[in-house]
Amino acid sequence: MDADVVIAGAGPNGLMLASELRLAGVRPIVLERLPERSEVPRANGLVGQVVRMLDRRGLYERLSGRPGPPEPQPGYVFAAMPLHLSGLDNNPVYMLSVPQRRIEEVLQERALELGAEIRRGHEVTGLSQDAEAVTITVDGPDGRYELRTRYLVGADGGHSLTRKLAGIDFPGVTNDATVSRTANAFVPSEYVDPATGVLTIPGYGVISPFMHHRNERGLFVYGPFADRLPVISTGERDVAPDGEMTFAELQESVDRVLGVHLPLTPPEGDGPHLLRRVTGGNSRLAERFREGRVLLVGDAAHVHSAIGGPGLNLGLQDTINLGWKLAAELQGWAPDGLLDTYESERRPVGQRVVMQTQAQSALIAPGNEVTALRELFGELLSEPRNVQRIADLITGADIRYQDGPHPLIGRWAPDLQVDGTRLAELTRTGRPLLLDLTEDGTFAATVSTDRIEVVAGRGESPIALLIRPDGYVAWAADHDGVTEQEGLRTALARWFGVRVDQERPLTSATR
């Protein structure tokens, strides 16, 4: 066997999965068809639960370039309508403004530090599988060769060849009615408030930075990034011209959407500078996320509108969900059906992202009837309860993977502290964690297995949590008791293959 896992694609999702597998003791090979990392500007950052997940893996400070944990944002936007978040009881909107090329750079550094192998200029071009392994045909710089691996994971984007070779359908809808144009561009400095970044356009009015601005003619976004070139974007119901996108085309689109002339200046130098036109869009979800020993993550499994920036939040959490389960399967201790929970947990999340991005796209369309719908929706967003629900939806904070007697079971583990140490500092290893903050620490004292990391101490409230490597709660209790002890035993067996005798300390099972 040449490898335990081969990952097709060295974008953020493939690199993150490689790191998760290495943390769990599996050595993957990452194959990337591009010989060098792309310098073409793409995503501008991360938003949602994944920001806190990166903090729990010790990557947030490396990506943000500043010390300390992430802080929730006071405001965001949904379908070009403001979300006022500062008054929420539990604000889930965390953001990290960093270009995708830097995300890939940091994630590659991390994967290599942990011992992953990355082969650039190597593309998966064929596969076949049997009961034991997948045989992969690879086109590399020195010719074609084969690899035999126990599992293959497609992280190779929306046009995933892995998905196609595995015979997995990709149903959904294509919308050809819209054209978006995006470019690095400067506006006149006298139009911009240097303190707030607010853009005041003569003859039009005020536009807040980074917030989608919609009118009857289309969509306009102004992004004055502090650490890189500013970005201007438009969205219209238009017929795209033939040929390559030009800066003049962007200027004409901006003027059409605003109804006035906003003078734009292109950046100087060789770049690369962002200048992109996208016609239409796809909302698609893989019919299944697994075919035998082939699995899909990220855009290979789901594509949708980029509005609100959900793509990397969704894809990176796919990898964190899959990594420990795939490692458990390879190491022989996975309970029956554990690997199948990757699809049963993550596919519904993909469905919700497709739903909410389609809803946002409908709400930003031009037309009087859409304006009326937006007015009604705006009234609903004046109520904090509705703002909380939308904020949870767009960040993935509403995910609950399983039901249980405790309200935290199946949900993201709260950001607790143990004797002054943040939970994020206790989850850097990617191992299952039993956290016992109860009065007498009974739960921690009864667990004896090297498969589970056990931490006991004092916190803000007496609680005990069994936390999966992806940050979600497998079991929780507020006090000791026979029922709670039995619940812990059940969770340990179900998720981590730890089977115990009622009369003995909890220990690892052998298989």
Side-chain angles (χ1 to χ4, degrees):
M1 197 72 65
D2 298 306
D4 282 333
V5 181
V6 169
I7 302 168
N13 297 320
L15 295 169
M16 189 71 193
L17 179 59
S19 293
E20 290 295 294
L21 289 169
R22 286 299 302 129
L23 283 175
V26 173
R27 193 174 297 276
I29 297 174
V30 183
L31 304 179
E32 169 55 53
R33 67 178 182 84
L34 296 177
E36 302 289 341
R37 187 183 307 114
S38 174
E39 295 298 321
V40 176
R42 298 183 67 187
N44 292 310
L46 301 163
V47 59
Q49 291 288 88
V50 71
V51 177
R52 288 196 280 177
M53 190 66 237
L54 291 170
D55 181 38
R56 291 185 179 182
R57 287 295 187 266
L59 293 168
Y60 177 78
E61 291 188 1
R62 291 173 65 165
L63 283 163
S64 67
R66 58 181 180 272
E71 297 290 338
Q73 298 294 301
Y76 198 58
V77 64
F78 179 83
M81 289 179 280
L83 290 176
H84 302 292
L85 304 167
S86 57
L88 296 184
D89 293 336
N90 184 19
N91 181 359
V93 181
Y94 290 78
M95 294 179 61
L96 179 57
S97 178
V98 58
Q100 181 165 328
R101 60 179 177 272
R102 176 57 181 163
I103 295 172
E104 292 184 4
E105 180 180 307
V106 169
L107 293 182
Q108 177 171 300
E109 289 173 356
R110 177 62 168 162
L112 292 173
E113 287 169 4
L114 292 170
E117 180 181 350
I118 300 173
R119 301 181 186 178
R120 291 193 172 272
H122 296 250
E123 182 180 14
V124 175
T125 56
L127 69 86
S128 62
Q129 59 176 313
D130 53 40
E132 302 297 326
V134 185
T135 301
I136 305 169
T137 303
V138 183
D139 285 356
D142 299 322
R144 179 167 293 181
Y145 64 97
E146 286 190 348
L147 280 177
R148 191 156 168 82
T149 179
R150 293 181 65 187
Y151 286 93
L152 168 66
V153 180
D156 46 350
H159 298 287
S160 171
L161 183 57
T162 304
R163 184 188 64 240
K164 296 172 184 175
L165 291 170
I168 299 174
D169 289 339
F170 204 38
V173 296
T174 298
N175 177 10
D176 294 326
T178 60
V179 180
S180 65
R181 298 173 174 89
T182 306
N184 293 127
F186 294 93
V187 300
S189 59
E190 62 269 23
Y191 289 11
V192 181
D193 184 325
T196 64
V198 169
L199 177 63
T200 302
I201 303 172
Y204 187 83
V206 173
I207 295 178
S208 297
F210 302 107
M211 307 296 273
H212 293 82
H213 179 79
R214 181 260 180 198
N215 61 29
E216 293 285 348
R217 295 175 293 271
L219 197 70
F220 175 86
V221 184
Y222 169 57
F225 294 99
D227 57 348
R228 51 194 186 275
L229 294 171
V231 172
I232 296 285
S233 183
T234 64
E236 297 180 86
R237 289 198 169 176
D238 190 14
V239 177
D242 295 329
E244 296 293 324
M245 166 85 167
T246 66
F247 194 84
E249 182 182 328
L250 174 70
Q251 178 72 74
E252 293 165 2
S253 178
V254 168
D255 293 351
R256 281 195 303 270
V257 170
L258 297 177
V260 299
H261 180 59
L262 172 63
L264 300 178
T265 304
E268 298 179 349
D270 295 332
H273 300 139
L274 180 61
L275 188 64
R276 181 175 64 225
R277 179 205 309 129
V278 177
T279 302
N282 287 296
S283 294
R284 298 188 178 277
L285 186 67
E287 188 174 63
R288 54 194 180 281
F289 284 14
R290 178 185 180 187
E291 177 61 35
R293 293 179 172 272
V294 180
L295 300 109
L296 305 176
V297 297
D299 287 356
H302 34 63
V303 295
H304 44 76
S305 168
I307 189 167
L312 286 177
N313 183 42
L314 180 59
L316 288 172
Q317 288 196 83
D318 285 348
T319 69
I320 294 164
N321 185 289
L322 176 61
W324 68 277
K325 296 174 181 177
L326 187 54
E329 190 73 24
L330 287 163
Q331 291 165 349
W333 60 261
D336 290 343
L338 178 67
L339 190 54
D340 291 332
T341 66
Y342 167 62
E343 178 177 321
S344 64
E345 290 182 345
R346 294 305 298 170
R347 194 172 185 280
V349 178
Q351 286 179 311
R352 284 187 67 75
V353 171
V354 169
M355 175 273 288
Q356 59 100 341
T357 53
Q358 286 181 319
Q360 290 194 68
S361 297
L363 283 165
I364 63 172
N368 292 331
E369 70 283 0
V370 176
T371 300
L373 180 60
R374 291 174 61 83
E375 183 177 350
L376 173 60
F377 211 93
E379 291 180 9
L380 296 175
L381 290 180
S382 67
E383 298 183 15
R385 178 180 60 181
N386 293 331
V387 175
Q388 182 75 64
R389 184 163 182 173
I390 292 295
D392 290 344
L393 171 67
I394 63 178
T395 59
D398 60 349
I399 295 171
R400 187 172 190 183
Y401 287 140
Q402 64 182 104
D403 293 325
H406 194 286
L408 285 178
I409 292 177
R411 296 194 181 279
W412 175 257
D415 293 327
L416 302 172
Q417 289 199 358
V418 185
D419 297 332
T421 301
R422 294 192 305 123
L423 176 62
E425 298 173 51
L426 301 174
T427 56
R428 301 285 160 85
T429 63
R431 294 176 61 200
L433 172 66
L434 176 62
L435 186 66
D436 192 346
L437 307 182
T438 59
E439 193 79 18
D440 53 9
T442 302
F443 297 110
T446 59
V447 176
S448 175
T449 166
D450 57 7
R451 194 169 297 160
I452 310 296
E453 193 164 339
V454 179
V455 175
R458 292 290 177 266
E460 295 178 6
S461 60
I463 192 171
L465 302 173
L466 180 61
I467 303 172
R468 305 182 341 176
D470 57 0
Y472 285 81
V473 177
W475 164 88
D478 296 316
H479 61 277
D480 190 15
V482 174
T483 301
E484 287 72 25
Q485 286 280 358
E486 181 58 33
L488 176 57
R489 293 173 186 272
T490 300
L492 286 165
R494 176 183 179 184
W495 295 106
F496 309 118
V498 175
R499 305 185 186 281
V500 299
D501 188 309
Q502 293 281 359
E503 304 300 323
R504 298 179 182 177
L506 302 172
T507 57
S508 296
T510 58
R511 293 185 59 180

